[in-house]
Amino acid sequence: MLSLVRTHAFQSGRGPLSPGSRAGLGAALALLAIVSAVESADGRPAHYIALMVAAPFLAAALASWRVVLGVGVMATAIGSTFALMEPGMSLVTAVNVAGIALSTAIAAVVAAVRQRQAEQIAELSKLATVAQQAVLRPLGPQVGTLAVAGRYISSTATAVIGGDLYEAIDTPYGVRMIIGDVRGKGLDAVRLASIVLGSYRHVAYERADLRAVVTDLDRAVARNVGDEDFVTAALVEERGGTLTIVNCGHPPPLLLRRGRVISLDPPAPAPPLGFMPVVRPRVERLEPGDRLLLFTDGLGEARRDGEFFPTADRAWRLLGHGTVGDGLASLETALVEWVHGRLDDDIALVLMEYAGPSSVATAPVPSWEVGAAEA
């Protein structure tokens, strides 16, 4: 009976069916096939065609409204065929056929509404991706003389960005990086993170001293938050192999050197941005091959069964190999495995590697200019 209906009736005219539409169509066709087989085996009169009202609704759960309409037309056609084969069609059979047609119309409307909502969600997802790229621009692979990589790990599948932030830029004062964490979640946290990054991308080029950068960022935060809102942040500057760090209530960076992991705690604690921090810089001399991990507190708070992820113990084994991007990928894999895929907070990660002092290559003098150069 199903072979009477041409399968191309289900094509929307807009290319091949989506996986959801194929799944919905397959389930509906299976139901129609089963009901048709049972009805054919049962003989006359038609007893089971009322079950076909479920076919368009089954398709509506996954498929587009065009597929649902096609399934409904098929179900109505099959039901009508069985009804016409019945000698002296009864009122109950006629009502069943009409019910199939009515269910088709209702299911098509339901599928159209669901499809419109799905398209809106997809559009919002695209906008979120654009927002993420605008707020958290991709880092690296090279910033100035440093190899740099950044990674954002969201705690929820529905959000690709939150209140964690990072940036690395090459300025006249060296390569400068920031990592921060906005108190709170949601759109307000994203808005404040964008304000901090926007201010940082400006003042990092203008202020020679990192303490002045902190002062400017603190003013930007204070102008845009409530009394209980704040932003923890760590600012790093690398200039000529000298590393300068100022910390505003943020987890200290980890220095990876020759198999050891060193926590670069600040000389004195300072409050977060928004509370007028007075920072004291910590200065370190870098060695070739050193790597520096900047992270937000989501990494330090990741735990399973009450046991925290051993960041310091595993940092060198995870981060000391391959490129800096490879290192962050290994850290994320180990972290997600540790918490069994359930994170309580977003995590921002930045890993940089210092290769050593850059050598300025001397351009070779062409042979026809050797005499002129000697003169």
Side-chain angles (χ1 to χ4, degrees), residues 154-303:
S154 177
S155 60
T156 58
T158 56
V160 293
I161 189 172
D164 292 16
L165 58 99
Y166 56 75
E167 181 61 289
I169 51 181
D170 189 11
T171 75
Y173 311 105
V175 176
R176 287 180 165 178
M177 294 174 284
I178 183 174
I179 191 160
D181 190 358
V182 176
R183 178 186 179 273
K185 297 181 180 294
L187 293 178
D188 288 339
V190 176
R191 179 185 63 85
L192 184 53
S194 65
I195 290 172
V196 172
L197 285 174
S199 300
Y200 176 76
R201 288 163 181 159
H202 172 70
V203 300
Y205 288 97
E206 303 296 328
R207 304 297 187 215
D209 194 325
L210 282 181
R211 289 170 293 187
V213 175
V214 168
T215 300
D216 287 343
L217 294 180
D218 177 69
R219 290 180 185 142
V221 171
R223 285 193 298 263
N224 292 277
V225 300
D227 295 335
E228 298 181 357
D229 295 325
F230 57 83
V231 180
T232 67
L235 285 77
V236 176
E237 176 188 284
E238 185 278 325
R239 188 192 317 190
T242 298
L243 189 71
T244 304
I245 305 170
V246 293
N247 197 314
C248 305
H250 198 78
L254 298 179
L255 177 64
L256 286 69
R257 172 178 291 169
R258 298 194 302 270
R260 295 186 301 129
V261 179
I262 306 167
S263 179
L264 301 183
D265 300 296
L273 299 173
F275 292 137
M276 295 184 291
V278 178
V279 295
R280 290 180 56 190
R282 173 166 181 163
V283 180
E284 296 284 336
R285 189 66 187 174
L286 292 174
E287 298 178 4
D290 282 353
R291 290 189 173 187
L292 186 72
L293 175 66
L294 310 175
F295 58 94
T296 53
D297 59 5
L299 178 61
E301 296 173 358
R303 58 186 179 271

